[in-house]
Amino acid sequence: MTTTETLAVRRQAGSRLIPLLAGAGFVVFWSSGFIGARWGTAYSSAVDLLAWRFLLAGTLAAVVLAIRRPRISRADLVTHVAMAFLTQFVYLGLIFTGIDHGIPAGVTALIGSLQPILIATVAGPLLGERVSPVQWTGLLIGLAGVGLVVADDLGHSSPLLFLLPFGGLLGLVAGTCIERKRKPQAHLLDALCLQSLVSGVLFVGFATATAQMTVPHELGFYGAAVWLVVFSTTGGWGLYLVNLRLSGATRISSLLYLVPPTTMVMAYLMFHETIGLLAAFGIVVCAVAVLLIRRPDRRTGR
């Protein structure tokens, strides 16, 4: 094999490895958000926790932006402000509030796992993303798998409370569609910092206006806030933006099927929550579903 052929093979392997690592990292870091929510809301309200989370993240973001001094177009600025409002303020605000009011994290993750279906049926055609029959099969199998994972948690909360995470889900879907439609050109680091800064203003302003901003005395609360900044904001949302640019909205959304199983494993390791046989079977079903959804289209090579 010539040197040129060797380099070509390495580039091809690298082009496949990067999306795989980005996808795996996204699942782990995104799942950590549910753990941080459960951890932090044990000490204070969801709004207070989110305000402190984005106060820290926004401060760091402001420092990074001040050092980098990026040139961001007006169109990109509008896009990222809209995304911060929809995917952070609306999505996280309603998700955390639901958990704070007693909705189990597994059920919340199940509702979040409806995103691939919404993306495929509503947003996909608008974005020009075709969903193959095999991917449709994977979408439905994945939804069934998530249902198995969280089956034991269903029926423990008021039905009206489910409107909170479902409303948050709609915010995430809308923000995802805006990003894929407008395709902002700003550097990913600048995009992450800008959205974190805007989210900090929104959450701190809302918490202050509603008298929910406090100064908790428990170190565990600030541990949860730092956890959310490092793993959920920087890792989870940062890799969400990376995956959006590497693949279509349907494929990145399909990874959300792996979030409830991963969350359960993390909860078992951190809070000693048990995993039943039904949930273990559901984890396998979710993995099969994601493989089907992310299977390349033979006719397009994508």
Side-chain angles (χ1 to χ4, degrees):
M1 182 179 293
T2 64
T3 303
T4 304
E5 291 174 336
T6 301
L7 291 175
V9 171
R10 290 179 178 177
R11 290 195 190 98
Q12 186 177 13
S15 64
R16 293 178 179 176
L17 182 61
I18 290 175
L20 178 63
L21 294 177
F26 162 73
V27 171
V28 173
F29 287 123
W30 194 271
S31 301
S32 70
F34 294 98
I35 300 300
R38 171 179 171 175
W39 181 6
T41 52
Y43 300 101
S44 188
S45 69
V47 173
D48 195 20
L49 176 62
L50 286 167
W52 276 99
R53 167 184 176 175
F54 282 100
L55 177 62
L56 297 176
T59 302
L60 292 174
V63 172
V64 173
L65 290 174
I67 294 174
R68 289 176 55 83
R69 295 183 179 275
R71 293 184 178 181
I72 301 176
S73 67
R74 181 177 297 181
D76 280 5
L77 181 62
V78 171
T79 299
H80 290 304
V81 170
M83 288 186 67
F85 175 75
L86 291 169
T87 64
Q88 305 284 354
F89 187 70
V90 174
Y91 171 69
L92 290 177
L94 293 178
I95 287 291
F96 275 53
T97 301
I99 293 176
D100 193 18
H101 282 75
I103 298 180
V107 176
T108 304
L110 170 62
I111 295 174
S113 295
L114 295 174
Q115 185 190 0
I117 298 291
L118 292 177
I119 289 288
T121 56
V122 180
L126 296 176
L127 299 174
E129 295 184 6
R130 178 183 174 277
V131 182
S132 68
V134 173
Q135 289 176 321
W136 271 115
T137 302
L139 288 168
L140 298 176
I141 290 176
L143 189 60
V146 173
L148 292 173
V149 170
V150 300
D152 292 336
D153 289 332
L154 296 174
H156 296 293
S157 303
S158 170
L160 291 178
L161 283 178
F162 294 139
L163 294 176
L164 291 172
F166 186 75
L169 168 65
L170 295 180
L172 181 61
V173 170
T176 300
C177 292
I178 287 176
E179 198 280 343
R180 296 302 298 164
K181 191 72 174 178
R182 297 178 65 93
K183 298 186 184 302
Q185 300 301 311
H187 191 278
L188 284 172
L189 177 59
D190 299 328
L192 177 62
C193 289
L194 182 58
Q195 291 180 31
S196 296
L197 182 59
V198 173
S199 299
V201 173
L202 291 173
F203 278 115
V204 172
F206 180 77
T208 303
T210 56
Q212 297 185 70
M213 188 79 179
T214 66
V215 182
H217 300 290
E218 298 87 352
L219 290 178
F221 175 85
Y222 298 101
V226 172
W227 170 284
L228 290 168
V229 170
V230 175
F231 296 109
S232 301
T233 299
T234 304
W237 186 243
L239 285 174
Y240 189 84
L241 297 177
V242 170
N243 279 282
L244 269 179
R245 295 195 181 183
L246 290 175
S247 60
T250 301
R251 283 185 170 86
I252 174 59
S253 298
S254 70
L255 292 175
L256 291 176
Y257 283 143
L258 298 179
V259 169
T262 306
T263 301
M264 291 189 67
V265 172
M266 295 176 71
Y268 168 76
L269 295 175
M270 295 188 65
F271 304 119
H272 305 292
E273 293 184 357
T274 58
I275 301 177
L277 291 177
L278 191 62
F281 178 67
I283 291 174
V284 176
V285 174
C286 288
V288 172
V290 172
L291 289 175
L292 289 174
I293 298 169
R294 298 181 67 83
R295 181 182 178 184
D297 192 326
R298 293 181 178 179
R299 287 176 293 182
T300 64
R302 295 182 58 183

